[in-house]
Amino acid sequence: MGEVEDILKDYEVKKEGEAEILMLASNAVFFNPVQVHNRDMSIAVLRTFVAKRKEEYEELMNKRNNKSNKKGNQVETPVVNGDTALTSQHDEIGVVHEKETNQPTNEIEDLSKEETKTPSRKVTRELKPPIVLEALAASGLRSLRYAREVDGLGKVVALDNDKASIEACKRNIKFNGASAISKVEAHLADARVYMLTHPKEFDVVDLDPYGSPSVFLDSAVQAVADGGLLMCTATDLAVLCGTNGEVCYSKYGSYPVKGKYCHEMALRILLACIESHANRYKRYIVPVLSVYMDFYVRVFVRVFTSASEIKNTPLKLSYVYQCAGCDSFHLQSLGRTVTKNNSLKHAPGIGPVVPQECSDCGKKFNVGGPIWSAPIHDQDWVLSTLTDVRQMKDRYPAYNKITSVLTTVSEVLPWLVSLFCQVLLLMHM
Ligand SMILES: [Zn+2]
């Protein structure tokens, strides 16, 4: 007790959710209370991730059991979190990887890729609790909340490149008691180096920088395990929304155009950028939730590996023609598919999709992009998250804010998506 009393003399205790952090009166480590919206939303999505991951795993195991039963093999029982050892045959993996579909491949399948080389070998595999990396942890509040509030999580690793921040983080872990000490670890490290040297080791990677996440994306997409979740914030909204378009291009590889949809465009530029980094490593993303909140955008995407699926990336990206005189805009897909002799082939998109002058006002078009023009949410995830949040109202300090954002996302079909579908239809006619 003496030690705690000593600490409390110098610090102020701030409580958010189940976590408490110590703040020096001089406020040495930046703390932004508005970020409670961001942290609550992340906890909500993380809870959905834990549940979905378990569901997918059980479904896969059932499928395998059925297959084994048909062959007259021994029945396997799915186990979660290591209750018992699991014997499993990985024989259908190759088939899944060769399919030309938009369906995400399952992490277990990807993890099992190595075993496909020797399909007759029986291996032991179980679903381990997900491991989380917070790349820019500062005081560690977010990591502590994840560890204390999200059931079923494994280890949470908090990184920061600032010595004072990591010291504060370590102090806060200690202050939160035995459960935090056993689950959360803090390291002084450059997140980029740490992520590069821990490829596919984290089921969840959280990037929440002040400003642009662009310099962290290349290593972040490599640190996420197959089927894992990358959560990424960008606070440089002015850049993403078209102020200094050339800066946006240098950071994200996409030119923004000014339009009424600027926040949605910011999300779609960020998604296109993450996809581009992922593709370099034969990986691709599936967005589950993409939100604009307060002063930033935040995307939640799953990362999968598939050399065949990345061929579909140009189908998910578009250039934007924005009329300089009115609100008219048009999407130009980067790629398309054609069926020849019963086989699907990839081809460049056909353009231009607009005349030289706008048919509504006669002015010229500005060209922006490429942006992500595929869905930016998975409605099933959104509804599961919303339902779950409503059932745990007391556990979310920012309950009103996050339910309002999730409700909006669940009800509105983004008009960019509906327009994109129309463009696709026209292209196939
Ligand atoms: Zn016009």
Side-chain angles (χ1 to χ4, degrees):
M1 264 320 275
E3 196 186 350
V4 172
E5 276 160 12
D6 280 350
I7 285 174
L8 288 177
K9 259 187 251 165
D10 302 323
Y11 296 92
E12 197 181 308
V13 179
K14 285 202 183 290
K15 186 172 164 61
E16 182 184 300
E18 300 291 315
E20 287 178 320
I21 60 160
L22 297 162
M23 302 275 302
L24 272 177
S26 55
N27 200 6
V29 179
F30 182 69
F31 175 76
N32 188 347
V34 179
Q35 286 281 69
V36 64
H37 301 161
N38 185 320
R39 287 186 282 266
D40 265 15
M41 186 65 93
S42 306
I43 285 169
V45 175
L46 212 42
R47 285 187 171 131
T48 305
F49 174 71
V50 171
K52 293 277 181 200
R53 186 174 172 268
K54 193 176 157 190
E55 264 171 38
E56 286 168 8
Y57 177 77
E58 284 168 357
E59 206 174 289
L60 181 76
M61 287 302 119
N62 284 336
K63 227 190 265 174
R64 286 199 180 142
N65 286 341
N66 290 339
K67 210 168 177 180
S68 308
N69 283 343
K70 276 181 198 159
K71 287 180 188 166
N73 289 351
Q74 201 186 338
V75 177
E76 295 160 3
T77 316
V79 287
V80 174
N81 295 348
D83 296 324
T84 23
L86 171 79
T87 312
S88 162
Q89 278 183 305
H90 303 271
D91 47 0
E92 76 272 44
I93 313 307
V95 181
V96 173
H97 275 266
E98 288 314 309
K99 269 190 203 165
E100 282 285 342
T101 75
N102 283 327
Q103 290 301 312
T105 50
N106 190 288
E107 65 159 340
I108 308 300
E109 291 158 350
D110 282 307
L111 282 170
S112 319
K113 211 175 172 183
E114 284 164 20
E115 271 97 47
T116 58
K117 290 168 194 158
T118 50
S120 59
R121 187 166 61 94
K122 289 206 167 189
V123 293
T124 303
R125 190 163 295 281
E126 62 198 50
L127 186 65
K128 290 184 178 148
I131 301 172
V132 181
L133 177 75
E134 191 192 0
L136 308 141
S139 65
L141 173 57
R142 181 184 294 259
S143 289
L144 286 165
R145 286 199 61 192
Y146 290 168
R148 297 200 62 164
E149 297 177 41
V150 183
D151 289 339
L153 278 193
K155 193 170 63 171
V156 180
V157 178
L159 305 179
D160 206 287
N161 211 13
D162 176 64
K163 216 175 160 203
S165 296
I166 278 301
E167 276 166 14
C169 190
K170 286 183 174 165
R171 197 162 48 230
N172 289 327
I173 293 168
K174 213 172 156 191
F175 187 69
N176 278 265
S179 68
I181 295 166
S182 66
K183 245 184 182 177
V184 189
E185 52 184 69
H187 302 294
L188 176 67
D190 182 325
R192 293 166 297 181
V193 176
Y194 193 92
M195 291 190 287
L196 269 182
T197 48
H198 294 76
K200 295 192 183 181
E201 279 187 24
F202 295 94
D203 302 288
V204 180
V205 171
D206 191 335
L207 280 182
D208 190 54
Y210 306 118
S212 171
S214 60
V215 296
F216 299 103
L217 293 178
D218 204 69
S219 41
V221 295
Q222 297 179 70
V224 185
D226 281 313
L229 188 68
L230 173 63
M231 316 197 266
C232 177
T233 306
T235 63
D236 54 340
L237 264 191
V239 165
L240 283 162
C241 286
T243 310
N244 304 117
E246 67 286 359
V247 176
C248 184
Y249 188 80
S250 71
K251 287 188 167 155
Y252 296 97
S254 177
Y255 217 106
V257 282
K258 284 187 178 173
K260 283 184 175 169
Y261 43 75
C262 87
H263 296 135
E264 188 168 334
M265 165 156 277
L267 287 166
R268 290 176 182 279
I269 288 175
L270 178 57
L271 289 170
C273 184
I274 300 173
E275 171 80 350
S276 146
H277 284 288
N279 283 177
R280 283 159 215 189
Y281 309 99
K282 294 192 171 63
R283 315 194 85 189
Y284 67 98
I285 63 164
V286 177
V288 293
L289 177 69
S290 310
V291 291
Y292 158 64
M293 285 164 83
D294 301 314
F295 55 92
Y296 54 87
V297 287
R298 183 147 166 94
V299 296
F300 301 85
V301 304
R302 297 187 76 184
V303 181
F304 298 92
T305 306
S306 164
S308 60
E309 178 56 31
I310 61 172
K311 291 182 193 166
N312 292 326
T313 296
L315 309 175
K316 303 169 192 169
L317 300 174
S318 293
Y319 291 110
V320 186
Y321 288 96
Q322 172 62 56
C323 175
C326 71
D327 288 338
S328 290
F329 73 95
H330 303 269
L331 294 184
Q332 159 89 63
S333 177
L334 262 70
R336 70 196 154 100
T337 51
V338 280
T339 312
K340 226 176 194 175
N341 302 329
N342 283 335
S343 76
L344 199 68
K345 297 216 181 297
H346 290 80
I350 293 175
V353 291
V354 290
Q356 284 288 314
E357 280 146 18
C358 174
S359 54
D360 293 322
C361 74
K363 290 269 167 51
K364 302 268 187 216
F365 287 97
N366 288 319
V367 189
I371 61 162
W372 178 264
S373 46
I376 61 173
H377 314 290
D378 177 326
Q379 285 300 341
D380 179 44
W381 273 65
V382 174
L383 289 173
S384 300
T385 308
L386 183 58
T387 308
D388 191 59
V389 168
R390 283 184 175 143
Q391 283 167 358
M392 302 175 87
K393 188 175 176 178
D394 299 340
R395 308 279 302 273
Y396 293 98
Y399 176 82
N400 290 341
K401 175 74 180 180
I402 63 166
T403 44
S404 129
V405 171
L406 287 168
T407 306
T408 309
V409 168
S410 71
E411 285 170 354
V412 180
L413 179 69
W415 48 272
L416 211 51
V417 170
S418 52
L419 185 114
F420 180 62
C421 296
Q422 286 168 23
V423 172
L424 267 187
L425 278 175
L426 286 172
M427 282 172 54
H428 286 282
M429 271 161 67

